[in-house]
Short mmCIF file of all heavy atoms in Angstrom, two decimals:
data_model
loop_
_atom_site.label_atom_id
_atom_site.label_comp_id
_atom_site.label_asym_id
_atom_site.label_seq_id
_atom_site.Cartn_x
_atom_site.Cartn_y
_atom_site.Cartn_z
N LYS A 295 -13.68 9.04 -1.05
CA LYS A 295 -14.51 8.73 -2.17
C LYS A 295 -15.44 9.87 -2.50
O LYS A 295 -15.75 10.10 -3.68
CB LYS A 295 -15.29 7.46 -1.87
CG LYS A 295 -16.07 6.94 -3.09
CD LYS A 295 -16.75 5.63 -2.77
CE LYS A 295 -17.51 5.05 -3.97
NZ LYS A 295 -18.16 3.81 -3.73
N ALA A 296 -15.89 10.59 -1.50
CA ALA A 296 -16.87 11.67 -1.72
C ALA A 296 -16.25 13.05 -1.92
O ALA A 296 -16.94 14.01 -2.15
CB ALA A 296 -17.84 11.76 -0.53
N CYS A 297 -14.93 13.17 -1.82
CA CYS A 297 -14.26 14.47 -1.90
C CYS A 297 -14.12 14.91 -3.36
O CYS A 297 -14.24 14.12 -4.29
CB CYS A 297 -12.91 14.40 -1.21
SG CYS A 297 -11.57 13.69 -2.15
N SER A 298 -13.91 16.17 -3.52
CA SER A 298 -13.68 16.76 -4.88
C SER A 298 -12.18 16.83 -5.25
O SER A 298 -11.86 16.93 -6.43
CB SER A 298 -14.28 18.16 -4.95
OG SER A 298 -13.62 19.04 -4.02
N PHE A 299 -11.32 16.77 -4.21
CA PHE A 299 -9.90 16.86 -4.45
C PHE A 299 -9.18 16.28 -3.29
O PHE A 299 -9.70 16.29 -2.13
CB PHE A 299 -9.48 18.34 -4.65
CG PHE A 299 -8.24 18.56 -5.43
CD1 PHE A 299 -8.34 18.83 -6.81
CD2 PHE A 299 -7.02 18.50 -4.81
CE1 PHE A 299 -7.19 19.02 -7.54
CE2 PHE A 299 -5.84 18.73 -5.54
CZ PHE A 299 -5.91 19.00 -6.96
N TYR A 300 -7.96 15.78 -3.50
CA TYR A 300 -7.18 15.13 -2.48
C TYR A 300 -5.74 15.66 -2.51
O TYR A 300 -5.14 15.81 -3.57
CB TYR A 300 -7.16 13.58 -2.64
CG TYR A 300 -6.30 12.90 -1.63
CD1 TYR A 300 -6.81 12.40 -0.43
CD2 TYR A 300 -4.93 12.74 -1.87
CE1 TYR A 300 -6.03 11.73 0.47
CE2 TYR A 300 -4.15 12.04 -0.93
CZ TYR A 300 -4.67 11.57 0.24
OH TYR A 300 -3.92 10.92 1.15
N ILE A 301 -5.17 15.91 -1.30
CA ILE A 301 -3.79 16.40 -1.22
C ILE A 301 -3.07 15.72 -0.02
O ILE A 301 -3.61 15.63 1.08
CB ILE A 301 -3.78 17.94 -0.96
CG1 ILE A 301 -4.43 18.66 -2.11
CG2 ILE A 301 -2.29 18.41 -0.82
CD1 ILE A 301 -4.59 20.13 -1.85
N SER A 302 -1.89 15.21 -0.26
CA SER A 302 -1.11 14.63 0.84
C SER A 302 0.35 14.41 0.32
O SER A 302 0.63 14.61 -0.85
CB SER A 302 -1.67 13.28 1.33
OG SER A 302 -1.36 12.24 0.47
N ALA A 303 1.16 13.96 1.27
CA ALA A 303 2.51 13.47 0.85
C ALA A 303 2.37 11.98 0.51
O ALA A 303 1.25 11.50 0.27
CB ALA A 303 3.47 13.68 2.02
N ASP A 304 3.45 11.23 0.55
CA ASP A 304 3.45 9.81 0.24
C ASP A 304 2.95 9.02 1.45
O ASP A 304 3.66 8.74 2.34
CB ASP A 304 4.87 9.36 -0.13
CG ASP A 304 4.94 7.83 -0.48
OD1 ASP A 304 3.88 7.24 -0.57
OD2 ASP A 304 6.07 7.36 -0.55
N THR A 305 1.64 8.73 1.44
CA THR A 305 0.99 8.04 2.55
C THR A 305 -0.07 7.09 2.02
O THR A 305 -0.54 7.26 0.92
CB THR A 305 0.43 9.03 3.58
OG1 THR A 305 -0.02 8.35 4.74
CG2 THR A 305 -0.67 9.85 2.98
N GLY A 306 -0.51 6.13 2.87
CA GLY A 306 -1.45 5.11 2.37
C GLY A 306 -2.71 5.65 1.74
O GLY A 306 -3.04 5.16 0.65
N PRO A 307 -3.46 6.52 2.33
CA PRO A 307 -4.69 7.06 1.73
C PRO A 307 -4.55 7.62 0.30
O PRO A 307 -5.45 7.59 -0.46
CB PRO A 307 -5.19 8.08 2.71
CG PRO A 307 -4.62 7.68 4.01
CD PRO A 307 -3.24 7.10 3.72
N LEU A 308 -3.32 8.09 0.02
CA LEU A 308 -3.06 8.61 -1.32
C LEU A 308 -3.37 7.61 -2.36
O LEU A 308 -3.94 7.91 -3.42
CB LEU A 308 -1.57 9.02 -1.41
CG LEU A 308 -0.98 9.24 -2.79
CD1 LEU A 308 -1.63 10.47 -3.47
CD2 LEU A 308 0.53 9.43 -2.72
N HIS A 309 -3.02 6.35 -2.11
CA HIS A 309 -3.17 5.29 -3.15
C HIS A 309 -4.66 4.89 -3.29
O HIS A 309 -5.05 4.45 -4.38
CB HIS A 309 -2.29 4.11 -2.78
CG HIS A 309 -0.87 4.55 -2.59
ND1 HIS A 309 -0.08 5.00 -3.58
CD2 HIS A 309 -0.09 4.61 -1.44
CE1 HIS A 309 1.12 5.31 -3.15
NE2 HIS A 309 1.11 5.08 -1.85
N PHE A 310 -5.40 5.09 -2.23
CA PHE A 310 -6.86 4.88 -2.43
C PHE A 310 -7.48 5.97 -3.27
O PHE A 310 -8.26 5.71 -4.19
CB PHE A 310 -7.54 4.90 -1.03
CG PHE A 310 -9.03 4.57 -1.08
CD1 PHE A 310 -9.44 3.26 -1.27
CD2 PHE A 310 -9.99 5.58 -1.05
CE1 PHE A 310 -10.78 2.93 -1.32
CE2 PHE A 310 -11.33 5.25 -1.15
CZ PHE A 310 -11.71 3.97 -1.27
N ALA A 311 -7.05 7.24 -3.06
CA ALA A 311 -7.51 8.34 -3.89
C ALA A 311 -7.14 8.13 -5.36
O ALA A 311 -7.90 8.38 -6.26
CB ALA A 311 -6.95 9.68 -3.36
N ALA A 312 -5.89 7.65 -5.58
CA ALA A 312 -5.44 7.40 -6.94
C ALA A 312 -6.22 6.28 -7.57
O ALA A 312 -6.55 6.36 -8.78
CB ALA A 312 -3.93 7.03 -6.94
N ALA A 313 -6.55 5.24 -6.81
CA ALA A 313 -7.31 4.09 -7.36
C ALA A 313 -8.71 4.56 -7.79
O ALA A 313 -9.27 4.04 -8.71
CB ALA A 313 -7.39 2.97 -6.34
N LEU A 314 -9.23 5.56 -7.06
CA LEU A 314 -10.56 6.09 -7.38
C LEU A 314 -10.48 7.16 -8.45
O LEU A 314 -11.48 7.71 -8.87
CB LEU A 314 -11.19 6.75 -6.12
CG LEU A 314 -11.62 5.77 -5.03
CD1 LEU A 314 -12.07 6.54 -3.81
CD2 LEU A 314 -12.72 4.82 -5.53
N LYS A 315 -9.26 7.41 -8.92
CA LYS A 315 -8.96 8.41 -9.94
C LYS A 315 -9.47 9.83 -9.53
O LYS A 315 -9.96 10.56 -10.40
CB LYS A 315 -9.57 7.98 -11.28
CG LYS A 315 -8.92 6.69 -11.84
CD LYS A 315 -9.44 6.34 -13.23
CE LYS A 315 -8.64 5.23 -13.87
NZ LYS A 315 -7.98 4.27 -13.02
N LYS A 316 -9.26 10.12 -8.24
CA LYS A 316 -9.61 11.45 -7.78
C LYS A 316 -8.56 12.45 -8.25
O LYS A 316 -7.39 12.10 -8.31
CB LYS A 316 -9.66 11.46 -6.22
CG LYS A 316 -10.84 10.72 -5.65
CD LYS A 316 -12.13 11.57 -5.91
CE LYS A 316 -13.32 10.91 -5.37
NZ LYS A 316 -14.56 11.64 -5.59
N PRO A 317 -8.96 13.71 -8.53
CA PRO A 317 -7.92 14.72 -8.81
C PRO A 317 -7.11 14.92 -7.55
O PRO A 317 -7.64 15.07 -6.47
CB PRO A 317 -8.76 15.98 -9.12
CG PRO A 317 -10.17 15.50 -9.41
CD PRO A 317 -10.35 14.23 -8.66
N LEU A 318 -5.79 14.85 -7.70
CA LEU A 318 -4.96 14.93 -6.51
C LEU A 318 -3.60 15.55 -6.80
O LEU A 318 -3.09 15.50 -7.91
CB LEU A 318 -4.82 13.54 -5.87
CG LEU A 318 -4.08 12.40 -6.63
CD1 LEU A 318 -2.56 12.50 -6.46
CD2 LEU A 318 -4.61 11.07 -6.17
N VAL A 319 -2.98 16.02 -5.72
CA VAL A 319 -1.60 16.43 -5.69
C VAL A 319 -0.87 15.66 -4.56
O VAL A 319 -1.38 15.68 -3.46
CB VAL A 319 -1.46 17.96 -5.45
CG1 VAL A 319 0.04 18.34 -5.46
CG2 VAL A 319 -2.16 18.72 -6.54
N ALA A 320 0.29 15.13 -4.89
CA ALA A 320 1.04 14.39 -3.93
C ALA A 320 2.44 14.97 -3.87
O ALA A 320 3.08 15.19 -4.94
CB ALA A 320 1.09 12.89 -4.27
N MET A 321 3.00 15.23 -2.68
CA MET A 321 4.29 15.81 -2.48
C MET A 321 5.27 14.75 -2.13
O MET A 321 5.08 13.97 -1.15
CB MET A 321 4.24 16.87 -1.39
CG MET A 321 3.43 18.09 -1.75
SD MET A 321 1.64 17.87 -1.51
CE MET A 321 1.51 18.01 0.29
N TYR A 322 6.35 14.58 -2.91
CA TYR A 322 7.34 13.52 -2.68
C TYR A 322 8.69 14.16 -2.46
O TYR A 322 9.19 15.03 -3.18
CB TYR A 322 7.38 12.65 -3.94
CG TYR A 322 6.41 11.45 -3.83
CD1 TYR A 322 5.06 11.68 -3.87
CD2 TYR A 322 6.87 10.14 -3.79
CE1 TYR A 322 4.18 10.67 -3.84
CE2 TYR A 322 5.99 9.08 -3.70
CZ TYR A 322 4.60 9.33 -3.70
OH TYR A 322 3.76 8.29 -3.63
N GLY A 323 9.38 13.65 -1.39
CA GLY A 323 10.76 14.05 -1.11
C GLY A 323 11.70 12.91 -1.04
O GLY A 323 12.37 12.61 -2.02
N PRO A 324 11.73 12.13 0.06
CA PRO A 324 12.69 11.02 0.21
C PRO A 324 12.36 9.78 -0.57
O PRO A 324 13.18 8.93 -0.79
CB PRO A 324 12.72 10.79 1.71
CG PRO A 324 11.40 11.18 2.16
CD PRO A 324 10.99 12.34 1.32
N THR A 325 11.09 9.62 -0.98
CA THR A 325 10.66 8.46 -1.71
C THR A 325 10.56 8.70 -3.20
O THR A 325 10.57 9.87 -3.66
CB THR A 325 9.32 7.92 -1.14
OG1 THR A 325 8.40 9.01 -1.06
CG2 THR A 325 9.51 7.32 0.20
N LYS A 326 10.49 7.66 -3.95
CA LYS A 326 10.53 7.70 -5.42
C LYS A 326 9.16 7.45 -6.00
O LYS A 326 8.60 6.35 -5.88
CB LYS A 326 11.53 6.68 -5.95
CG LYS A 326 12.94 6.87 -5.44
CD LYS A 326 13.90 5.85 -5.98
CE LYS A 326 15.31 6.08 -5.45
NZ LYS A 326 16.27 5.10 -6.00
N ALA A 327 8.59 8.46 -6.62
CA ALA A 327 7.25 8.36 -7.15
C ALA A 327 7.13 7.37 -8.27
O ALA A 327 6.09 6.78 -8.50
CB ALA A 327 6.78 9.75 -7.64
N ASP A 328 8.21 7.14 -8.98
CA ASP A 328 8.17 6.20 -10.11
C ASP A 328 8.09 4.75 -9.59
O ASP A 328 7.73 3.85 -10.33
CB ASP A 328 9.35 6.32 -11.03
CG ASP A 328 10.71 6.12 -10.32
OD1 ASP A 328 10.75 6.30 -9.07
OD2 ASP A 328 11.67 5.80 -11.02
N ARG A 329 8.41 4.50 -8.31
CA ARG A 329 8.32 3.21 -7.73
C ARG A 329 7.08 3.01 -6.89
O ARG A 329 6.50 1.94 -6.81
CB ARG A 329 9.55 2.93 -6.92
CG ARG A 329 10.88 3.03 -7.67
CD ARG A 329 11.12 2.05 -8.75
NE ARG A 329 11.22 0.65 -8.26
CZ ARG A 329 12.38 0.08 -7.87
NH1 ARG A 329 13.47 0.80 -7.92
NH2 ARG A 329 12.42 -1.14 -7.52
#
Side-chain angles (χ1 to χ4, degrees):
K295 186 176 181 180
C297 77
S298 61
F299 205 95
Y300 176 92
I301 300 171
S302 78
D304 179 11
T305 188
L308 163 67
H309 305 293
F310 185 79
L314 292 173
K315 295 184 170 29
K316 288 290 179 180
L318 66 83
V319 178
M321 294 80 77
Y322 271 65
T325 48
K326 299 179 180 181
D328 59 338
R329 303 294 294 270

